[in-house]
Amino acid sequence: MNSPEMATIEQDALGEAMKAKSFKYKGISFEKRYTSPEVIDAIEHMEIRDNDVFLVTYPKSGTVWTQQILSLILNEGHRNGTEQITNIERAPAIEYNIHNVDFKSRPSPRLFSSHLPYYLMPKDLRFKTGKVVYVCRNPKDALVSYYHFFKMNPNIKCTVTWEAFLDLFIKGKVLCGSWFDHVRGWYTHKEDFNILIVKYEEMKKDLRFNVQKICKFLDITLNDKATDIVVERATFKNMKDDPLANYTFLPNDMYDKSKGVFLRKGIVGDWKNLMTVAQNEMFDKVYKEKMGDLPMKITWELNEETAS
Ligand code: A3P
C-alpha cells in the first residue's frame, strides 16, 4: 500500500487528469468527448411518449445487464434472434448519444438509458408519462467495478491507485458524481416518477422473479417460454459470450479492451477482495452519515462462489 503522502499526490494527479477530460454541469461531471452542456439542457425538454422506458443507473450498477433484460422483454426480434442489434443501439444513453440516434424517429416502445440524477431527466417524466426502471447496486461493489472500469478509459493517462480512486468515489469526484447523491436523489423523489426500483443483488438472487416484476411494471405479458429466453440470455455467462450484449463492440479509443472487460465478474461482495479492514470501516461510517436516515436495505454480500 502507498504512504498517505503518495496517495495524495496521485489523487491530485488523477483529479487533474479527470478535470481536463470532463466538465461539470449542474453539479455533475460529464465526459467532454461525448456530450456538452447544450445536450444536457435539451434533455429537460425531450418529448416523452406514454410507453417510453428509461433505464437509469449510477455507473457500474448493472446498466448493461438491465439493457439486455429490457431489450429482450420489449423486442421479440431480440428474443428470437431475427434482429441483430447491439444493446447500446437498442437503449441509447440520452446524455451520451454516441451513435447520434434520432430519438424522435424511433419506433415505440422506445428504450433509453441514463446515468443522470433525477433533476436532469426529461421534465415530462415528472407528469408520470413514460416509465423509469432504476437499478441500484451496493456502493462497495459499484465502487470496485468502477475502479476496474476506470482503468479501461484511454482518455485518462495517469496511474490510478485503488486508494486514490476510493477517495475520489467517496467525494463524488468521478464521472456522474456521487453514488450517495444519485441513489438518495432518486430514492427520495420516487413518488414523482412512474418508477420501479430494482436491486442488482436481488437480480442475482432470483433473476426470473425480477424479470417478471419488470414485465408487470411495464404491463407486458410474456409466456413461460419467452420468460425463459429472457432469463437464459441475461445470465452473466451467456451475456459474456453475446457480442450484441458484452460491449466488446465499442471502439478501443473509448474503452481499452486490453485493460479489462465490461462483464468482469458479475458477483456480489467482490469489494472484500480489494478493501482493507480500515477502508471498509471508513466506508461504513460514510455510508451511515450519508444514507443512514433512509429506510433502504442494502445487500453487501451473498453466499455465492461464482456468477451465474
Ligand atoms: P463487475 O465489474 O463487478 O463484474 P454497468 O453495466 O452499469 O457498467 O455495470 C457493470 C457491472 O455489471 C459489472 O460488474 C458487470 O460484470 C456486471 N454485469 C453485467 N452483466 C451482468 C449479468 N448478466 N449478471 C451479473 N452482473 C452483470
Side-chain angles (χ1 to χ4, degrees):
M1 203 168 130
N2 295 309
S3 67
E5 196 188 338
M6 176 74 181
T8 309
I9 292 164
E10 280 167 349
Q11 276 155 23
D12 288 349
L14 177 58
E16 285 310 312
M18 280 182 63
K19 254 192 241 161
K21 301 289 176 188
S22 61
F23 65 89
K24 199 159 183 178
Y25 193 62
K26 300 191 174 170
I28 302 295
S29 293
F30 296 93
E31 201 160 345
K32 257 184 202 162
R33 267 208 328 170
Y34 307 116
T35 191
S36 66
E38 291 72 35
V39 168
I40 310 298
D41 269 345
I43 289 171
E44 189 185 341
H45 307 291
M46 182 176 170
E47 269 178 45
I48 303 299
R49 301 178 196 157
D50 271 347
N51 57 1
D52 281 346
V53 181
F54 288 78
L55 163 63
V56 184
T57 54
Y58 183 80
K60 314 321 288 174
S61 299
T63 323
V64 169
W65 189 7
T66 319
Q67 278 178 346
Q68 172 80 334
I69 293 168
L70 289 170
S71 300
L72 286 161
I73 291 175
L74 293 168
N75 297 85
E76 197 180 351
H78 194 46
R79 280 201 300 277
N80 63 25
T82 52
E83 281 178 31
Q84 298 286 306
I85 299 168
T86 63
N87 279 349
I88 204 167
E89 290 167 281
R90 287 198 186 277
I94 48 175
E95 68 273 27
Y96 289 114
N97 185 7
I98 54 168
H99 290 115
N100 295 318
V101 176
D102 177 14
F103 295 157
K104 278 194 186 143
S105 65
R106 278 177 92 77
S108 295
R110 300 184 301 181
L111 172 61
F112 299 105
S113 307
S114 179
H115 290 318
L116 287 175
Y118 75 95
Y119 60 87
L120 292 179
M121 290 296 282
K123 261 215 170 85
D124 279 358
L125 283 175
R126 300 269 197 140
F127 298 100
K128 308 223 170 156
T129 319
K131 294 186 176 175
V132 176
V133 175
Y134 185 86
V135 184
C136 175
R137 187 182 196 185
N138 86 64
K140 293 179 193 171
D141 280 332
L143 153 67
V144 168
S145 181
Y146 207 163
Y147 168 62
H148 291 289
F149 177 71
F150 193 81
K151 290 189 289 189
M152 290 167 65
N153 189 332
N155 297 320
I156 311 282
K157 306 248 183 269
C158 76
T159 320
V160 187
T161 63
W162 161 241
E163 291 78 11
F165 194 79
L166 168 66
D167 185 71
L168 289 171
F169 182 92
I170 283 185
K171 291 180 178 150
K173 291 184 173 181
V174 289
L175 292 171
C176 302
S178 151
W179 181 96
F180 305 98
D181 291 348
H182 202 276
V183 174
R184 168 177 278 279
W186 275 100
Y187 191 84
T188 54
H189 287 84
K190 61 183 189 300
E191 308 305 336
D192 302 346
F193 295 88
N194 195 353
I195 188 171
L196 175 72
I197 298 181
V198 183
K199 304 258 182 70
Y200 178 100
E201 295 77 18
E202 295 297 322
M203 295 207 290
K204 284 293 296 183
K205 269 195 248 173
D206 192 340
L207 184 53
R208 191 183 177 88
F209 177 77
N210 280 281
V211 165
Q212 286 168 330
K213 197 162 133 184
I214 294 171
C215 286
K216 195 165 172 224
F217 173 68
L218 299 179
D219 285 322
I220 289 178
T221 308
L222 293 185
N223 61 28
D224 282 351
K225 197 175 160 219
T227 308
D228 287 344
I229 294 172
V230 177
V231 174
E232 181 65 13
R233 300 250 324 259
T235 62
F236 183 80
K237 191 174 165 299
N238 287 342
M239 276 185 65
K240 209 170 162 65
D241 295 336
D242 182 347
L244 301 176
N246 63 15
Y247 271 63
T248 51
F249 48 77
L250 286 181
N252 258 337
D253 67 350
M254 221 172 169
Y255 298 108
D256 186 344
K257 280 161 256 166
S258 69
K259 302 230 169 81
V261 283
F262 254 88
L263 278 95
R264 194 182 57 89
K265 281 193 180 174
I267 59 170
V268 180
D270 192 34
W271 56 270
K272 285 185 284 182
N273 296 318
L274 211 49
M275 282 179 133
T276 63
V277 172
Q279 286 167 348
N280 187 36
E281 282 173 5
M282 180 271 290
F283 199 101
D284 284 344
K285 196 165 161 269
V286 173
Y287 184 85
K288 206 169 159 203
E289 276 163 22
K290 293 186 182 272
M291 308 295 280
D293 60 322
L294 295 182
M296 254 188 71
K297 269 191 77 182
I298 294 274
T299 303
W300 301 105
E301 53 192 294
L302 286 180
N303 291 329
E304 54 173 351
E305 292 301 317
T306 50
S308 56

